[in-house]
Amino acid sequence: MPGFEFFGEEERKEVNDVLQTGILMRYGFDGPRKGIWKSKELEEMICKTFDCKYAQLVSSGTAALTTALAALGVGAGDEVIMPAFTFVASFEAVLSVGAIPVLVDIDETLTLSPDAVIKAITSKTKCIMPVHMCGSMADLDALIKICKEYKLLLLEDACQSIGASYKGKHLGTIGNAGTFSFDFVKTVTCAEGGAVITNDESIYIKSDGYSDHGHDHKGVDRGADLHPFIGYNFRISELHAAVGLAQFRKLEKFLQIQKKNHQQLKDILSQIPEVSFRSIPDPAGDSCTFLSWFLPTEELMRGVVAELKDKNILAGNFYWFDNNWHYIRKWDHLKNAGSLNNLNDEQKIALEKIKHASFAASDNIMNKCISTSITLLLTEEQIKDKGDKMVAAIKKVLAKQNIIA
Ligand SMILES: *Cc1c(COP(=O)(O)O)cnc(C)c1O
């Protein structure tokens, strides 16, 4: 899954280009930078790779979500519907623009349940934010239909699914805007970085300004820029963009390896009739960063987690149900409105509601689910060995359960 497995000469060369001029900033210094514009080059490459009109690089995936929300005009009083299974960045970004996170259930796609979305719509709903978790996609046809019917914006969090697609279109380019993260464990990394992508010129112009103190970037120098609106500093540096550029050139290779390794592991686990797999709206578009699989009951899955741990092979197998970062069950800081600064009253009410809400439908999926991360550097033999050990652990737990039953 992570690009950091392939860090090498290519990345060093790009970074050295920047170090040679010493111009580490992405804007200005036109003369001294001697034609080196790594951020611009990477933005062009992202547009070309994903067939979209505009890309704005920023300092992280969280910054990309925050910027995209602001550019979409989402703010105080607006509700954003998002899934209960996601990374904490999703609600952080929503809260940071003053808006209200509305968390709803997922389904077997491990992404937003369209039925749960419909039930959560109110007169305050402004945006639906599907999160394409673990390399694969939400049911976008259903969500687009809802957005059209209720006149809502669609913001795709594609941070974990770079290179995945849905019916021939790249994830992130289908909604009004999309976001990527290039943090250290993502499909391509530049240490820290992210991007807002869109086909809408006005969202792009707003993202461009918002991520750089509201600069309109029309002046001959930064001092001459106007500020049509208030912005913040979410800029990426040229050093980060340089690493990203080298990584992006390898994206196709990463995806090919991921798909091959994913298929091999899936074939091995498929031997066990009790194992089922995540439902994927467009299987051909899966970027295959993870293989997500289920057992029939929580008890069985907990048994397997314990067995994998016992055999020292739990690493890379994520039982999200017990995880502090990715699933609502353990987000006590959110439920208790543990904010350093004062949240607005509507946000406080919304968080109190989340604290008492039931996510039984999601619990019922997540408590039986493991996502196994697909590493790039494993050989065919190593994957076979890993898969065989997982199969042995699962069979052992199944056998025990049958004896008890
Ligand atoms: C990684 C991630 C983010 C945030 O990215 P950072 O670059 O780490 O800020 C947002 N959403 C999801 C689903 C992620 O996995």
Side-chain angles (χ1 to χ4, degrees), residues 59-65 85-90 92 129 131-134 157-161 179-186 191-194 326:
S59 52
S60 72
T62 311
L65 284 170
F85 174 48
T86 177
F87 181 56
V88 288
S90 307
E92 290 168 355
M129 188 163 99
V131 183
H132 303 301
M133 284 300 275
C134 307
D157 180 341
C159 288
Q160 290 199 6
S161 297
T179 60
F180 291 136
S181 162
F182 311 126
D183 80 22
F184 195 55
V185 294
K186 297 301 203 277
E192 302 287 355
H326 291 84

Side-chain angles (χ1 to χ4, degrees), residues 31-192:
R33 71 190 314 134
K34 303 200 174 96
I36 308 255
W37 300 89
K38 298 298 180 190
S39 307
K40 277 190 187 169
E41 216 181 311
L42 180 51
E43 284 167 349
E44 278 161 24
M45 190 158 182
I46 290 171
C47 290
K48 221 172 108 195
T49 306
F50 298 121
D51 203 15
C52 70
K53 282 194 186 148
Y54 308 100
Q56 176 64 42
L57 284 174
V58 289
S59 52
S60 72
T62 311
L65 284 170
T66 308
T67 300
L69 286 164
L72 289 169
V74 176
D78 296 327
E79 292 179 353
V80 179
I81 298 178
M82 48 169 270
F85 174 48
T86 177
F87 181 56
V88 288
S90 307
F91 63 73
E92 290 168 355
V94 171
L95 289 172
S96 77
V97 296
I100 303 160
V102 175
L103 277 74
V104 306
D105 276 320
I106 54 148
D107 57 23
E108 279 81 8
T109 64
L110 301 183
T111 67
L112 274 181
S113 149
D115 289 339
V117 170
I118 290 176
K119 286 196 190 111
I121 292 174
T122 72
S123 57
K124 290 184 188 169
T125 309
K126 178 124 183 201
C127 179
I128 298 179
M129 188 163 99
V131 183
H132 303 301
M133 284 300 275
C134 307
S136 179
M137 79 282 329
D139 182 350
L140 284 168
D141 278 352
L143 295 176
I144 287 165
K145 194 163 160 259
I146 296 169
C147 285
K148 283 200 177 127
E149 194 176 331
Y150 293 90
K151 299 198 167 48
L152 303 173
L153 296 163
L154 186 70
L155 170 58
E156 291 175 79
D157 180 341
C159 288
Q160 290 199 6
S161 297
I162 298 162
S165 61
Y166 179 68
K167 299 189 176 173
K169 285 186 184 166
H170 292 279
L171 296 191
T173 68
I174 297 164
N176 299 86
T179 60
F180 291 136
S181 162
F182 311 126
D183 80 22
F184 195 55
V185 294
K186 297 301 203 277
T187 306
V188 282
T189 183
C190 60
E192 302 287 355

Side-chain angles (χ1 to χ4, degrees), residues 32 38 62 101 113 148 161 172 198 202-203 214 228 283 291 313 317 346 372 378 380 394:
K38 298 298 180 190
T62 311
S113 149
K148 283 200 177 127
S161 297
T198 182
S202 116
I203 292 171
L291 176 66
I313 47 170
N317 287 298
E346 284 169 307
T372 304
L378 291 189
E380 232 173 277
I394 299 166

